[in-house]
Amino acid sequence: MATKARIGAGFTLGGEQAEADPLSEGAFVESGLYSVIANRQDPRCFVIGRTGSGKSAALQHLEEVEADRVIRISPEDLSLPYITDLQVIRFMDSLNVKLDLFWIALWKHVLLVEIIRHRYGVNSPETKQRFMATLRDRLIRQPGKQAALDYLEEFEGKFWCDTDERVREITDRFTERLGFEGGLSAAAAGFGGKLSSSDVTEQTTESRAEMADRYQRIVNETQLAKLNQMLAVLNDEILDEANFTYIVVDDLDRDWVDERLSNDLIRCLFRTVLDMQRVSNLKIVVALRSNIFQELDFGASGGQEEKFRALILEMRWTEPLLEEILNERVRVAAANSSLDARAFRDLTPQPNNTRGNPIHYMLQRTLLRPRDAIAYANQCFAAAAGKHRIAWEDIHSAERQYSANRLLALRDEWKPTYPGIDEVVMKFKGAPARMSKIELQTRLDDCMLLMTSPEFSGVRWMTELSRAMWGSSAEHSWFELYQPLLALLYRIGLVGCAVGTSAAPLFVGDDPLLVDAQSTVDRCEYFHVHRMFHKALDVTRAGDRQTT
């Protein structure tokens, strides 16, 4: 039990984001999810989850625990904006030339060189030459592998430089080749250049399809063969069990590159990681938000999506695990204050038959993500400042601000993919806690009618989701008319479904595929706005204002 010490005005359980969380490392809970990430034999390497699900915290902890074995690749350090701004890249894009093989070669080059630099401490021309001489001596009877080393010699001038300089060099060589073999002028191939009159003339005398074919052949002849030979050298000669290496790639959800090409770059990174799994004693871990992963089109480039899905680790949490996270954070935070508490329950009201368990109440108002649980707890501590422990009144008063903040976070998470999503969500303001199918349908109709407003920025995606509604056929079922939009609201965590009159609602965290099947949707009798958003959207249950 806590002593008579009072909760200080600044007492918190840490920050909501891993990079700005003072308790992230000291209070880290090594769950089964983290064990999969750190397991050298487990092939799952794509860490997929919503914002706030703990992806970055897990990778930061891996860096702390395996400090000498982890290489972090930051997309912001790769000069990718420089690449995507090149006139020749934009020109290729305008011709619909598939640049996948170039992007894959670029990723392999970056990863390969970073591993070698890390393994041998290559940071100057002298250390690079010593490494090359040693490796050539070891491969003296393996001419095929010695030939692969020639690839590294091509980049002698920049090998030890920062990643962005090496990325620029390999890109400049590629664009020079496009200019030389493809017939573009040097200005058109270069950064900031414009197509010359001769380039424009070429477009008028040669069909765009012919030009696209010509440039596609050049792209397809990129140096992947030499890079793949180097992967064999990496596997056989460079990395051994004693030098097991992790590479972590995070922050792919930031504005690090032209949005038009970001999905292509990420998809090609996934293909690169899949291919590099042939290298023993290497594990590449990529963290990515769920909504971005859903937008990747692996089929467009001939990739087999099931191969990637087999390597996915979904960051999903349970109430007991989230309570364990809160307990650990209370233990660490209390040690730096006058509070004598070893668990979150030491600072919350006692459970009772009338109001129930306060921790369960709070966690029911999360999307089962660490960030939600920490944010609600911090809001409660702010409300309870000066008291010996949190009271039920503090939990309820904190809920309104917490709910409003989570609604804003939902908007920020999904607006890059679904601009105008905040206007859609607000159509559920004042909704009853339990909506019949007819009541839900009325609100879905209102959402679709947003397209008639000139200010609505989500016309493109809303048109796609409401296509059946605006069609000429009168034979569409309820599922065909409303399921696409319902599925979106379910996937983002706003709405849940209850199959049967007395059944508890299920949300995306309970069953991600619940609303995909028509047989299930047809049996759903009631629909619920998630409790996390009740206060922000003024959703209440008649006669039960405290426990909705």
Side-chain angles (χ1 to χ4, degrees):
M1 297 293 293
T3 68
K4 291 299 181 180
R6 299 178 184 275
I7 298 171
F11 184 82
T12 73
L13 299 188
E16 298 171 24
Q17 298 184 359
E19 58 269 23
D21 183 2
L23 301 185
S24 177
E25 186 54 34
F28 187 84
V29 173
E30 292 195 359
S31 66
L33 295 170
Y34 174 77
S35 298
V36 171
I37 294 172
N39 190 318
R40 300 179 183 184
Q41 282 73 47
D42 196 308
R44 286 173 288 180
C45 57
F46 301 128
V47 183
I48 309 298
R50 298 280 298 270
T51 58
S53 60
K55 304 182 300 296
S56 295
L59 297 189
Q60 284 186 192
H61 185 66
L62 181 65
E63 285 186 276
E64 292 287 338
V65 174
E66 301 281 3
D68 295 333
R69 298 182 182 277
V70 174
I71 302 169
R72 175 175 283 270
I73 302 293
S74 174
E76 295 175 344
D77 295 335
L78 296 178
S79 288
L80 293 174
Y82 166 82
I83 298 171
T84 55
D85 279 340
L86 286 170
Q87 185 72 20
V88 67
I89 296 298
R90 292 183 176 275
F91 184 51
M92 296 300 103
D93 186 51
S94 72
L95 292 176
N96 293 320
V97 173
K98 297 298 182 183
L99 294 172
D100 284 22
L101 293 180
F102 170 64
W103 300 134
I104 291 172
L106 190 65
W107 281 118
K108 285 186 176 181
H109 175 80
V110 167
L111 298 175
L112 174 66
V113 175
E114 287 299 321
I115 292 169
I116 293 174
R117 291 185 65 198
H118 179 267
R119 169 71 176 84
Y120 295 100
V122 178
N123 55 15
S124 68
E126 293 75 23
T127 54
K128 190 257 189 176
Q129 289 305 322
R130 286 198 296 270
F131 149 70
M132 292 293 294
T134 301
L135 198 53
R136 284 193 183 278
D137 288 343
R138 288 168 55 186
L139 299 176
I140 194 167
R141 291 185 174 85
Q142 301 181 64
K145 290 181 178 178
Q146 277 209 344
L149 296 184
D150 294 340
Y151 173 82
L152 299 181
E153 294 287 12
E154 294 180 27
F155 299 92
E156 179 177 3
K158 298 286 186 181
F159 190 90
W160 60 87
C161 296
D162 290 339
T163 307
D164 64 327
E165 291 188 56
R166 286 183 277 107
V167 168
R168 289 187 184 217
E169 182 178 33
I170 192 173
T171 304
D172 289 344
R173 290 182 180 223
F174 173 68
T175 56
E176 287 171 7
R177 185 179 172 206
L178 283 172
F180 179 74
E181 297 184 25
L184 285 177
S185 69
F191 173 71
K194 299 182 181 297
L195 294 177
S196 67
S197 58
S198 61
D199 296 321
V200 175
T201 302
E202 180 185 31
Q203 291 193 64
T204 62
T205 58
E206 181 181 12
S207 74
R208 291 177 63 85
E210 291 173 331
M211 291 178 65
D213 287 343
R214 175 153 54 92
Y215 289 117
Q216 189 68 66
R217 284 194 297 271
I218 298 172
V219 172
N220 293 349
E221 293 169 1
T222 191
Q223 300 195 63
L224 274 177
K226 289 185 178 180
L227 275 165
N228 290 335
Q229 288 176 326
M230 273 305 304
L231 293 186
V233 175
L234 181 67
N235 182 63
D236 300 336
E237 310 296 339
I238 295 176
L239 292 182
D240 53 26
E241 188 173 352
N243 292 286
F244 188 96
T245 300
Y246 297 94
I247 296 179
V248 299
V249 186
D250 198 3
D251 298 329
L252 289 167
D253 55 339
R254 297 183 178 176
D255 296 330
W256 50 280
V257 74
D258 189 321
E259 185 178 350
R260 297 177 306 106
L261 295 171
S262 61
N263 282 359
D264 287 345
L265 284 162
I266 295 173
R267 175 170 42 78
C268 290
L269 170 61
F270 273 53
R271 290 180 60 186
T272 301
V273 172
L274 180 64
D275 194 30
M276 290 185 69
Q277 284 208 323
R278 72 176 82 170
V279 180
S280 304
N281 301 307
L282 173 68
K283 185 167 186 176
I284 305 172
V285 183
V286 180
L288 191 65
R289 278 199 341 226
S290 302
N291 58 312
I292 298 177
F293 179 76
Q294 292 164 2
E295 296 299 313
L296 301 182
D297 185 7
F298 294 107
S301 60
Q304 298 181 26
E305 189 170 345
E306 62 270 20
K307 290 184 178 180
F308 297 99
R309 292 198 176 276
L311 301 178
I312 286 175
L313 173 66
E314 290 192 49
M315 298 295 286
R316 300 178 64 184
W317 299 84
T318 63
E319 284 195 21
L321 274 175
L322 291 180
E323 184 174 354
E324 185 179 349
I325 288 175
L326 294 177
N327 289 342
E328 190 64 16
R329 285 176 173 265
V330 164
R331 182 189 64 79
V332 175
N336 298 322
S337 71
S338 58
L339 293 174
D340 181 18
R342 295 185 297 273
F344 188 50
R345 64 178 177 273
D346 295 337
L347 298 173
T348 58
Q350 293 292 339
N352 59 61
N353 293 332
T354 302
R355 286 177 159 173
N357 185 314
I359 299 177
H360 175 64
Y361 177 95
M362 293 174 63
L363 294 181
Q364 278 192 318
R365 285 151 179 79
T366 72
L367 295 180
L368 294 181
R369 301 178 296 189
R371 182 175 297 176
D372 299 336
I374 295 169
Y376 198 173
N378 285 343
Q379 205 73 47
C380 290
F381 284 123
K387 300 179 181 179
H388 300 304
R389 65 192 304 161
I390 297 169
W392 271 105
E393 291 72 21
D394 301 319
I395 294 175
H396 292 309
S397 66
E399 185 177 349
R400 184 167 296 281
Q401 185 61 55
Y402 161 75
S403 181
N405 291 343
R406 291 299 92 196
L407 193 64
L408 291 175
L410 183 78
R411 176 203 66 187
D412 293 341
E413 179 180 2
W414 291 97
K415 69 179 179 182
T417 307
Y418 300 102
I421 190 66
D422 52 329
E423 297 181 61
V424 172
V425 169
M426 292 309 294
K427 293 300 179 182
F428 289 84
K429 190 173 182 65
R434 190 175 73 163
M435 294 177 285
S436 67
K437 188 169 287 188
I438 294 299
E439 289 170 323
L440 174 69
Q441 177 179 319
T442 299
R443 295 183 184 274
L444 294 179
D445 286 339
D446 290 342
C447 292
M448 294 179 187
L449 287 172
L450 283 169
M451 291 195 300
T452 63
S453 169
E455 289 80 26
F456 181 60
S457 57
V459 171
R460 179 175 297 180
W461 62 265
M462 184 63 80
T463 299
E464 181 63 29
L465 295 184
S466 59
R467 188 177 302 279
M469 179 62 72
W470 308 110
S472 57
S473 173
E475 302 299 322
H476 289 303
S477 65
W478 195 98
F479 181 86
E480 293 171 320
L481 292 173
Y482 294 104
Q483 188 274 342
L485 183 53
L486 170 63
L488 169 63
L489 298 176
Y490 182 81
R491 188 167 68 248
I492 68 176
L494 181 71
V495 173
C497 309
V499 180
T501 56
S502 60
L506 296 176
F507 290 88
V508 65
D510 304 308
D511 184 352
L513 304 179
L514 179 70
V515 300
D516 288 356
Q518 181 170 352
S519 59
T520 303
V521 173
D522 288 345
R523 290 186 295 114
C524 288
E525 298 194 24
Y526 292 99
F527 301 84
H528 301 245
V529 174
H530 196 285
R531 294 180 181 185
M532 186 165 78
F533 307 112
H534 278 196
K535 295 297 184 184
L537 293 174
D538 294 328
V539 175
T540 58
R541 183 181 300 164
D544 191 7
R545 299 178 65 87
Q546 292 290 344
T547 58
T548 60

